[in-house]
Amino acid sequence: MKLVLLIACLFVNASTAFLTPSALVQPSSMKAAALQLRSSRVFANPQSTRSPVRMSGTSAEADSENETTEEPKIPTVPTTETEMLQECAKSIRAAFKDGMTRQKIRLLMPRDGQLVATDEDWPGGIMQLYNVASPLTRNLIRRLNDAVPQVKEQRLDESGVDGISLWLAQYQSAKDDVSAFVQPNTEVMDSVAQVCKSAGPRLVLMVNPQWRETADGYDLLGSKEGLLGQIGNFLGGTAGARKEVAELGFEDTFLLQQYVVRGDDCQILKAYPYKNWVVWTSTDDGKKVMLGEQQSRPTYQDIEALLEEKGVSAKWAREAGLGKAFKD
């Protein structure tokens, strides 16, 4: 994809003048470009993805104090957009405090007062999802610091139909600046790499990447070296992109996804600093219950096994009176 990006708007404090003009990236291949984040402040190790700084602001500091004095609690599944953004921001701040400056986030999408999966029925496809994910990401980065940032969005899809953008949040202190990619796909990885390089120890987020977290046949082929790997990635495999994301230092800090398993809506959640994945669902009367937890990302089969362990019949069987009601 050819990306031709505009220069990011500059927000210069007249008394400190801490930012220098951003430059338009024009790679010779013209297949990727990214907004350069530049600052007159010199960091000790601009290539490091581990942060030597901490986010300022009373909320961030309060979270940090609580997280260092208490054992991480089992995360519960948020039921509203506000709860989800609060919990996600808390995980991001905790991870950033521990040096994680490259973070991958997955969120459910608010629709009609509920949080729904991105693979639900979205008639408008990726662009309808983008119209929800973009303002959601903007609201998220505004929650990361008590100070009010100046924010700017840059579309990264030259065609205008791929639903990809980059949000920039600039604070009075340059070390608090945040970059957040919305729905990046495999074609903008060069842009992601350029922004990561320019950001140094500042925070860079990837929100709801457009690739699967689990591998299929093409991914297994794409993970191989040489021509076979190239063919696998060309046919739709995402192993190459996921490998590059890992090499750039991105780590999972808040991932909330939902799947239908035997008719029941089940959520899997990874929320830093809690180390395990947790699996939640709802009883027949709507009460949230935790099915279990494990170190690795739960698969469909893992969730199905947890339901069976608790003696939960398939939803169709319960509705037909062939199975007992699902109660806590």
Side-chain angles (χ1 to χ4, degrees), residues 6-283:
L6 299 177
I7 302 175
C9 290
L10 300 175
F11 308 103
V12 180
N13 184 302
S15 61
T16 59
F18 56 84
L19 290 177
T20 60
S22 298
L24 179 64
V25 181
Q26 294 180 324
S28 57
S29 66
M30 290 303 291
K31 290 186 177 179
L35 291 174
Q36 298 281 335
L37 301 180
R38 300 181 183 272
S39 172
S40 59
R41 297 186 187 276
V42 178
F43 294 103
N45 183 4
Q47 300 301 322
S48 174
T49 59
R50 288 287 174 171
S51 172
V53 298
R54 61 183 291 178
M55 289 186 173
S56 59
T58 55
S59 294
E61 291 168 358
D63 286 344
S64 298
E65 291 175 0
N66 290 336
E67 287 154 9
T68 55
T69 58
E70 298 179 4
E71 286 295 321
K73 296 179 180 179
I74 296 177
T76 58
V77 172
T79 57
T80 67
E81 176 182 350
T82 298
E83 289 179 358
M84 180 176 67
L85 291 179
Q86 286 176 341
E87 292 305 309
C88 182
K90 185 176 179 180
S91 289
I92 291 172
R93 288 193 296 262
F96 186 80
K97 173 183 174 292
D98 289 342
M100 301 179 193
T101 65
R102 306 292 181 259
Q103 301 184 28
K104 180 154 61 71
I105 307 298
R106 287 195 180 273
L107 302 172
L108 296 179
M109 295 290 100
R111 186 176 69 181
D112 300 328
Q114 296 182 321
L115 296 176
V116 300
T118 56
D119 59 356
E120 289 283 335
D121 182 22
W122 294 85
I126 195 64
M127 284 306 300
Q128 185 180 7
L129 284 168
Y130 166 77
N131 290 332
V132 179
S134 177
L136 191 68
T137 301
R138 177 198 61 207
N139 293 340
L140 173 63
I141 61 178
R142 283 176 170 169
R143 289 175 176 269
L144 299 180
N145 195 312
D146 285 344
V148 179
Q150 298 188 61
V151 295
K152 174 71 174 181
E153 184 182 27
Q154 173 68 57
R155 288 293 294 271
L156 299 183
D157 49 343
E158 187 181 58
S159 65
V161 297
D162 293 324
I164 307 170
S165 71
L166 170 64
W167 276 100
L168 305 172
Q170 293 181 316
Y171 291 87
Q172 184 175 5
S173 177
K175 65 180 176 60
D176 293 328
D177 291 351
V178 177
S179 304
F181 287 91
V182 181
Q183 298 189 152
N185 64 15
T186 58
E187 297 183 31
V188 298
M189 287 309 301
D190 286 346
S191 298
V192 174
Q194 289 184 47
V195 167
C196 287
K197 182 178 180 180
S198 298
R202 286 170 285 189
L203 179 62
V204 181
L205 303 174
M206 298 181 71
V207 181
N208 286 16
Q210 293 185 43
W211 55 73
R212 298 174 300 278
E213 295 292 338
T214 54
D216 60 12
Y218 291 138
D219 292 320
L220 295 176
L221 185 61
S223 64
K224 297 183 178 298
E225 299 292 336
L227 180 60
L228 286 178
Q230 295 176 19
I231 293 174
N233 288 318
F234 176 79
L235 293 175
T238 59
R242 286 188 278 115
K243 179 181 178 181
E244 188 171 358
V245 166
E247 290 174 347
L248 288 171
F250 280 91
E251 301 177 73
D252 296 337
T253 53
F254 188 90
L255 290 89
L256 172 61
Q257 294 180 275
Q258 179 170 288
Y259 302 97
V260 178
V261 181
R262 303 193 340 177
D264 286 299
D265 288 335
C266 300
Q267 298 83 32
I268 61 173
L269 174 62
K270 175 76 177 292
Y272 191 88
Y274 199 72
K275 294 182 178 180
N276 286 347
W277 288 81
V278 292
V279 182
W280 290 78
T281 190
S282 298
T283 62

